[in-house]
Amino acid sequence: MAKKNEIRRIGILTGGGDCPGLNAVIRGVTKPAEDYGMTVFGILDGFEGLVEGKAKELTNSDVSGILARGGTILGSSNKGDPFHWPVEVAGKIEIQDKSQAALNNYKAWNLDALIAIGGDGTMHICNKLSQMGMNVIGVPKTIDNDLEATDLTFGHDSAVYVVATSLDRLHTTAASHHRVLVVEVMGRYAGWIALNGGLAGGADIILIPEIPFSWEKVYAKIKERELMGKKFSLVCVAEGAKPLGGEIVTRGTDIKRTDPVQLGGIGKVVADKIEENTGRETRVTVLGHLQRGGSPTPFDRILSTKFGAFAIDLVAQKKFGRMVALKGSEIKSVRIEDAISRQKLVKPDDQAVIAARRVGISFGD
Ligand code: F6P
């Protein structure tokens, strides 16, 4: 028998960068909604759709067959923050507050609740919209895995899979050509992708934002391997890694984005320095958006489905202002306010760091 509930209409949106598993969450929310007698309203292009009034109803047939599909059927944007809305005025970009327009659309669509799937930026927006009176539930996504309140975000496992399998492939070229191959991976302020991907792919050196590295230690590790007869090395570097006393390498800034800094380029810097100082031919591969695109791993499909199904239960129970979270092996919820208080960074004594060091991986420190 259908579980009836006075919550009738819920909105759902995907904010920030795309990530494997978003569609699985949308499906995990939409399918059970019918049992609850709820209508799901898909808001297009993240918060941009909430401000500009772009949405369409989602039915079971819309979410059929999307479990394994990458990206998001709703579209996404990392420029649509209602509280940081870029408007062109006299040829210049001006930042305006469009949160009232977002609230007006929420009311005009007669929404009883909003499920927002996103990372740190999305959860900050959710918190502010909650304070304005919207009934919001957050679902944590990001390949970076840098949200403190959940043990894992969906999408991370898929990104780690891409990094590990890329390192496997690069290993053969590195060994055959006696080269050093540097792989630049995503991870702005947290090095989880580089750490877990590097560990799984057998990197010799892993450079992450949390452990500033010494150039001399990086060269020393490559030379130490040469002395052991290994004339190749694999270096896995997070885009946010920096040398001791140095700065992160950026490509530029875009004030339209929630986080205006665009990272990228550390891989080339590392490769050039290694070649110059060790004499060993060195190349760089930047994995970029390959880590965010494509089909989610089975682990991420399962986690995303559990997150989606749990999110709609929270809506039915009217537990608003909360974010779905993985705690151990259980799905629970935490207050969004608490979820955004700090980022989850790699600790120097994390078991993965310790295990990596034990198997001979250098962090350049
Ligand atoms: O936050 C996720 C992330 O993957 C970061 O690691 C990276 O810096 C960023 O997205 C890149 O985003 P975009 O390609 O949309 O500029």
Side-chain angles (χ1 to χ4, degrees):
M1 206 179 69
K3 294 169 259 174
K4 291 290 174 205
N5 194 287
E6 70 264 40
I7 302 281
R8 290 274 171 244
R9 280 164 77 82
I10 58 164
I12 184 167
L13 63 80
T14 50
D18 71 334
C19 170
L22 286 168
N23 284 327
V25 178
I26 296 168
R27 174 178 173 271
V29 166
T30 308
K31 289 206 166 195
E34 201 173 283
D35 279 347
Y36 278 119
M38 296 178 196
T39 302
V40 180
F41 221 50
I43 296 162
L44 307 181
D45 301 333
F47 290 102
E48 205 174 289
L50 190 61
V51 170
E52 292 184 337
K54 298 184 284 185
K56 61 174 184 193
E57 197 180 312
L58 285 183
T59 63
N60 271 1
S61 73
D62 292 314
V63 299
S64 178
I66 66 167
L67 173 64
R69 204 193 299 171
T72 160
I73 59 164
L74 295 175
S76 195
S77 168
N78 45 21
K79 294 180 184 160
D81 181 346
F83 301 91
H84 184 95
W85 188 267
V87 181
E88 203 176 314
V89 181
K92 279 194 174 169
I93 299 296
E94 199 174 87
I95 301 302
Q96 296 182 1
D97 183 347
K98 293 278 180 186
S99 54
Q100 195 53 47
L103 186 63
N104 291 347
N105 281 323
Y106 175 89
K107 287 182 180 160
W109 289 327
N110 286 318
L111 297 182
D112 298 306
L114 171 70
I115 294 179
I117 313 164
D120 193 45
T122 297
M123 293 310 141
H124 274 93
I125 297 169
C126 286
N127 193 40
K128 291 192 221 162
L129 293 177
S130 257
Q131 287 162 0
M132 290 176 75
M134 273 190 213
N135 294 329
V136 186
I137 297 291
V139 180
K141 78 87 230 206
T142 163
I143 63 166
D144 292 359
N145 193 35
D146 57 356
L147 281 175
E148 177 68 34
T150 179
D151 289 352
L152 258 184
T153 50
F154 71 85
H156 180 64
D157 187 63
S158 303
V160 166
Y161 178 79
V162 172
V163 174
T165 52
S166 301
L167 282 167
D168 287 347
R169 286 168 188 277
L170 292 167
H171 198 145
T172 60
T173 303
S176 306
H177 289 262
H178 314 300
R179 287 178 182 162
V180 176
L181 290 187
V182 176
V183 182
E184 179 183 309
V185 305
M186 285 187 172
R188 299 176 75 77
Y189 308 109
W192 295 106
I193 298 176
L195 173 61
N196 291 328
L199 198 51
D204 304 299
I205 300 172
I206 296 175
L207 304 176
I208 58 174
E210 295 88 338
I211 307 179
F213 60 90
S214 132
W215 289 111
E216 292 308 322
K217 296 273 172 62
V218 172
Y219 310 147
K221 178 67 187 175
I222 290 163
K223 288 176 184 160
E224 174 198 309
R225 282 176 54 78
E226 299 224 352
L227 288 175
M228 288 159 56
K230 296 183 176 174
K231 299 198 182 310
F232 70 94
S233 290
L234 287 174
V235 183
C236 185
V237 53
E239 60 184 356
K242 53 183 180 305
L244 276 164
E247 292 299 322
I248 50 169
V249 181
T250 59
R251 279 189 294 125
T253 52
D254 179 355
I255 61 157
K256 292 184 191 157
R257 297 161 55 106
T258 310
D259 186 340
V261 184
Q262 288 176 294
L263 300 187
I266 183 71
K268 174 147 180 18
V269 173
V270 169
D272 288 350
K273 292 277 273 183
I274 289 175
E275 186 164 286
E276 202 181 303
N277 289 279
T278 66
R280 178 74 41 203
E281 186 179 8
T282 307
R283 300 286 177 86
V284 61
T285 302
V286 180
L287 291 181
H289 295 98
L290 288 174
Q291 298 158 92
R292 287 221 313 243
S295 189
T297 57
F299 179 89
D300 275 336
R301 294 179 202 184
I302 295 166
L303 186 62
S304 303
T305 304
K306 284 182 177 173
F307 274 6
F310 196 86
I312 189 102
D313 284 350
L314 287 179
V315 170
Q317 293 156 19
K318 299 187 181 165
K319 289 193 176 160
F320 301 122
R322 301 193 72 81
M323 184 188 86
V324 176
L326 178 72
K327 297 280 187 190
S329 56
E330 264 187 88
I331 313 290
K332 296 191 170 171
S333 73
V334 294
R335 289 194 323 154
I336 293 176
E337 215 178 315
D338 298 335
I340 56 174
S341 54
R342 64 196 162 108
Q343 270 185 321
K344 183 173 65 188
L345 302 178
V346 176
K347 295 193 182 79
D349 61 349
D350 188 281
Q351 286 188 325
V353 174
I354 293 169
R357 291 191 195 278
R358 294 241 166 98
V359 297
I361 296 171
S362 165
F363 287 88
D365 61 334

